[in-house]
Amino acid sequence: MTDLNNLTCIAHRGASGYEPENTLRAFARAIELNCPWIELDVHMADGYIMVIHDEDLSRTTNGNGKMSDCSYEYLRKLDAGHGESIPTLAEVLSLVSHRARVNIELKGHGAAEPVCSLLKELSWGPQEFLISSFDHEELAQVDSSFTRGALFNRRVDSYVDAAKRINAKIIILDRRLTTRTEIDHAHEAGMELWVYTANKPKHIRKLKALGADGIFSDFPDRAMKIASEG
Ligand code: G3P
Ligand code: CA
């Protein structure tokens, strides 16, 4: 769980360059690779916290339709790749079992409260989690004992001000929006700036040189190797 040279590596949707994204196989692979953090996406469906990126089922499973319209029984019969089911958040946390920290990205509405309730029932420390979202209204509903990560996929006047408004300590930026200026602004405000998603070594090296604090990668071993270089 030690970060290398202060650059945090995050397995994006698990080690999703090697295994089907957001499946138990992808998270197990990230742990095998000794990645200190895994990232996953959650949607509420039929009262369950399901780990999947898209609201529409068709890209990552053999199902059709919208998550929020489906029963838990239907969702659990689907193949999310290599015969894997769509996992629940509870199943992923049981698999991880403190061997990595977990960044939970809230997709859609209404996930903040059930996610925080579940996490508070567990014997994990709040520092083992980062809760993030592009939906800053939803993120503002996250219990204040958890660290909030404000996600951005487009330019705003000030990422720092936008993050401060919802008491987020980490700014998470699209790689193409990331500059040294934005990283410096975050640091001056006492915040970290993490960047998604970098898979090519040249991109990872560039972000490291700019001073990024965290890098999301589908190939977390690549990011970890570069982070460990002098
Ligand atoms: O949190 C970083 C990244 O996961 C955000 O984008 O679309 O991969 O969920 P996306
Ligand atoms: Ca995500």
Side-chain angles (χ1 to χ4, degrees), residues 152-156 159 172-180 182-183 193 195-196:
F152 299 90
N153 55 12
R154 60 177 69 89
R155 284 192 195 288
V156 302
Y159 301 112
I172 309 177
L173 271 192
D174 186 301
R175 180 174 61 76
R176 290 154 293 194
L177 297 173
T178 304
T179 63
R180 190 182 294 276
E182 301 304 346
I183 293 171
L193 194 143
V195 185
Y196 65 92

Side-chain angles (χ1 to χ4, degrees), residues 12-13 39-41 53 105 107:
H12 183 238
R13 310 180 195 173
E39 186 263 358
L40 55 82
D41 306 283
H53 184 275
E105 184 188 339
K107 299 282 194 194

